[in-house]
Amino acid sequence: MISHRSFSLAPNKSTSDIPSAMLIRQGVVVDHQDEKKADILIVDGKIADVAPDISDYPADTQIIDASGLYVMPGGIDVHTHFNIDVGIARSSDDFFTGTRAAACGGTTMVVDHMGFGPKGCNLHHQLAVYKEYAQDTAVIDYSFHGVIQHINDEILSEMASMVDDEGISSFKLYLTYGYKLDDESVLRALIELNKVNALTTVHPENDAAIALRRSQLLEQGKTAPKYHAQSRPLECEAEAIARMINLAKLANNAPLYIVHLSNGLGLDYVRLARQNKQPVWAETCPQYLLLDESCYERDDALKFILSPPLRPVEEREKLWQGLMDGSIDTVATDHCSFTYHDQKQRGKDNFSACPNGMPGVENRMPLLFSEGVMAGRISPSRFVELTSYMPARLFGLYPQKGSLAKGSDADLVLFDPKQQVTITHDLLHDNIDYTPYEAMQCHGWPLMTISRGHVVACNGEFMGKAGNGRFVRRKPFHAVKNGETVINTEE
């Protein structure tokens, strides 16, 4: 798979043990601000020094020749769904296969959106369940977003302990699906989360409009996969984004994070909020940047059923513009994988019966590097900002993660800008039977991923170990200082 460039990992004969020291020599070192040719010294899993030429290092140091490569902070994917039970199916990737795929794609940490628990359960319930899922299986570091299924006084009073005692400083609420919240519950949640220094993230779609359109389509016998997209038009998403922004304003300017933005109208609402000095941020995903609704005309259209659905082709360029002008802050994946030949087939005669979701955690970094950096749309530093720095800042991980500063975790990815790879599923490391990006050409490819000083992927080969990933307690969210919108002012 990886052709002209490979690494020798001598003197260490095995990468299963973390070397005491590693020196990455003469790569183009890139952070969110600039790029420069430099060495990086790693000692005991932390960045010890970054300098033009490091000559003082321990005798048993592992030497990595990174000449001609970009050396960047490892990716942070703040939107995955591993081992999630969606009622009609459980996703195929658990915290081992999911984080294995992430590591092989240059990602060194995930923040997973936990699935719903039993009706009436408290906030801590799902956290305990998910910690059990991940603690002996994850190969890279991880955290979780809290999930809000309902609002009452007990849930509101529990939020502070989730932030302060558990290190969970972001929470997700849904405006659609089975545990959707009404506007009163949303407003109460926003007010309390703002008080306890947490960031509200939201899946924004107008459930009532979707339910009506879906029932009308099904009554008309329009059950094919292509009607999934018609049941959830972009206006349903954009309306919900605008409503959330206004509710956040009413909640004492509560900070708000829009997940998986898929269209330009919603982006316009985000821009308008920012013009009005609201602390609002937006995430998009590779599928909305690279795929479009024409996928629903394919024979394998079931592969592309996710929510929000793929949009008209013209929406892609609107999102790219948002990446280029700074209106979009992060690129995550919403990785939620179901097998095409088995689980997705539930929807072959009725789109509404198909489990929603697509894989992508392994492809995010190379696709954005190829279509963003190598295509000239964004700079290498902007790439780092979107994939690592801003995720770390927004979600209470900086400067432990998303940074190349001394003392930061040695989470790194080495990219070869000259490497050209055609994506095929047999190259990937997930637990399903397809990739939505089959046959796409990538210009530039991650050759090595390092997690806390440990090489977890090299030359297309997974080299990590189940259980090496650690749960990371995240810091409280601080968005406003002296009347100006900032991010995590307490570092």
Side-chain angles (χ1 to χ4, degrees):
M1 176 189 114
I2 304 299
S3 56
H4 78 274
R5 180 69 182 270
S6 61
F7 292 100
S8 169
L9 296 180
N12 296 75
K13 295 181 180 180
S14 170
T15 58
S16 60
D17 298 317
I18 300 175
S20 60
M22 179 185 293
L23 181 62
I24 302 173
R25 276 204 175 279
Q26 294 303 290
V28 179
V29 175
V30 184
D31 64 13
H32 68 286
Q33 293 179 311
D34 60 18
E35 55 186 86
K36 59 190 176 185
K37 195 170 185 178
D39 293 350
I40 298 180
L41 179 63
I42 298 167
V43 178
D44 295 331
K46 300 283 187 180
I47 294 176
D49 196 12
V50 179
D53 185 11
I54 297 174
S55 57
D56 183 14
Y57 50 86
D60 62 346
T61 296
Q62 189 175 74
I63 307 295
I64 305 293
D65 175 15
S67 57
L69 305 180
Y70 285 113
V71 183
M72 302 171 167
I76 303 171
D77 191 342
V78 294
H79 193 157
T80 61
H81 294 282
F82 297 148
N83 208 38
I84 187 173
D85 184 352
V86 297
I88 58 175
R90 182 178 291 274
S91 63
S92 294
D93 280 308
D94 60 17
F95 278 87
F96 173 67
T97 63
T99 57
R100 177 182 66 186
C104 290
T107 289
T108 53
M109 180 161 179
V110 298
V111 185
D112 194 81
H113 281 285
M114 300 186 292
F116 297 132
K119 184 177 181 179
C121 70
N122 65 21
L123 298 178
H124 284 78
H125 178 278
Q126 284 302 86
L127 179 60
V129 168
Y130 269 71
K131 280 187 173 182
E132 184 72 20
Y133 287 161
Q135 64 182 4
D136 296 322
T137 58
V139 306
I140 56 174
D141 291 351
Y142 59 92
S143 185
F144 310 106
H145 304 280
V147 60
I148 299 174
Q149 299 178 207
H150 65 283
I151 288 294
N152 57 29
D153 291 343
E154 289 75 22
I155 293 293
L156 293 171
S157 65
E158 195 184 357
M159 290 174 175
S161 66
M162 287 284 284
V163 175
D164 298 331
D165 300 335
E166 304 288 354
I168 302 297
S169 55
S170 56
F171 294 77
K172 188 176 188 179
L173 51 85
Y174 292 79
L175 303 188
T176 189
Y177 301 140
Y179 286 104
K180 62 183 179 294
L181 299 186
D182 61 23
D183 289 353
E184 179 187 351
S185 294
V186 168
L187 186 55
R188 294 181 72 192
L190 283 164
I191 291 169
E192 188 63 25
L193 289 172
N194 194 12
K195 288 180 182 177
V196 302
N197 297 315
L199 176 61
T200 300
T201 80
V202 62
H203 176 126
E205 288 185 291
N206 186 305
D207 183 76
I210 291 168
L212 176 61
R213 291 177 69 89
R214 180 173 57 237
S215 65
Q216 290 173 335
L217 288 166
L218 294 177
E219 287 169 4
Q220 295 166 17
K222 296 178 178 179
T223 61
K226 67 180 180 180
Y227 294 109
H228 167 73
Q230 294 184 29
S231 74
R232 312 176 89 96
L234 67 84
E235 290 82 4
C236 291
E237 180 187 5
E239 182 280 329
I241 290 171
R243 179 159 36 106
M244 281 299 305
I245 287 170
N246 286 321
L247 290 171
K249 182 71 172 179
L250 293 173
N252 303 313
N253 231 20
L256 179 66
Y257 180 91
I258 307 298
V259 305
H260 51 46
L261 177 68
S262 73
N263 72 88
L265 180 57
L267 179 57
D268 286 341
Y269 288 134
V270 171
R271 290 188 176 114
L272 182 60
R274 288 180 163 176
Q275 290 171 15
N276 292 326
K277 307 296 185 183
Q278 274 191 254
V280 178
W281 295 270
E283 157 200 297
T284 194
C285 309
Q287 56 266 34
Y288 305 120
L289 296 166
L290 300 173
L291 305 175
D292 62 74
E293 66 179 5
S294 65
C295 293
Y296 296 118
E297 300 297 332
R298 293 171 38 163
D299 291 340
D300 59 353
L302 286 170
K303 293 177 179 177
F304 304 95
I305 288 187
L306 76 163
S307 298
L310 302 179
R311 301 301 190 191
V313 65
E314 56 266 22
E315 300 303 315
R316 298 192 321 196
E317 284 310 308
K318 297 174 184 177
L319 297 176
W320 277 112
Q321 184 59 45
L323 293 184
M324 292 185 285
D325 67 20
S327 302
I328 294 175
D329 304 282
T330 66
V331 176
T333 61
D334 194 13
H335 179 102
C336 189
S337 58
F338 300 97
T339 57
Y340 171 64
H341 289 98
D342 182 15
Q343 293 170 305
K344 287 281 189 179
Q345 293 304 314
R346 292 178 56 99
K348 63 184 177 63
D349 298 319
N350 181 347
F351 69 84
S352 68
C354 184
N356 276 226
M358 288 197 323
V361 73
E362 189 166 355
N363 298 133
R364 173 184 71 128
M365 298 282 281
L367 284 171
L368 187 63
F369 187 88
S370 177
E371 297 301 315
V373 177
M374 299 305 293
R377 289 182 171 109
I378 59 175
S379 68
S381 288
R382 178 65 174 146
F383 173 84
V384 169
E385 186 174 29
L386 289 164
T387 60
S388 187
Y389 172 75
M390 280 298 289
R393 290 300 300 264
L394 284 164
F395 292 100
L397 297 165
Y398 190 84
Q400 179 182 355
K401 306 288 187 181
S403 172
L404 298 179
K406 292 180 183 180
S408 296
D409 285 353
D411 291 353
L412 302 168
V413 59
L414 278 60
F415 258 92
D416 184 355
K418 296 181 180 178
Q419 193 71 270
Q420 297 189 31
V421 174
T422 300
I423 294 176
T424 58
H425 187 256
D426 62 348
L427 299 180
L428 304 181
H429 298 81
D430 53 36
N431 192 41
I432 58 167
D433 55 359
Y434 78 99
T435 171
Y437 307 109
E438 188 76 25
M440 282 195 177
Q441 298 283 330
C442 277
H443 298 269
W445 197 258
L447 297 190
M448 179 179 286
T449 307
I450 299 169
S451 172
R452 284 184 284 105
H454 184 188
V455 176
V456 291
C458 184
N459 301 322
E461 179 183 355
F462 173 64
M463 305 183 75
K465 183 179 178 181
N468 277 358
R470 298 176 182 173
F471 173 74
V472 179
R473 288 173 49 88
R474 298 184 288 117
K475 294 179 292 187
F477 185 88
H478 299 277
V480 179
K481 184 177 182 180
N482 299 327
E484 293 295 322
T485 299
V486 293
I487 307 168
N488 282 345
T489 58
E490 297 182 9
E491 292 180 0

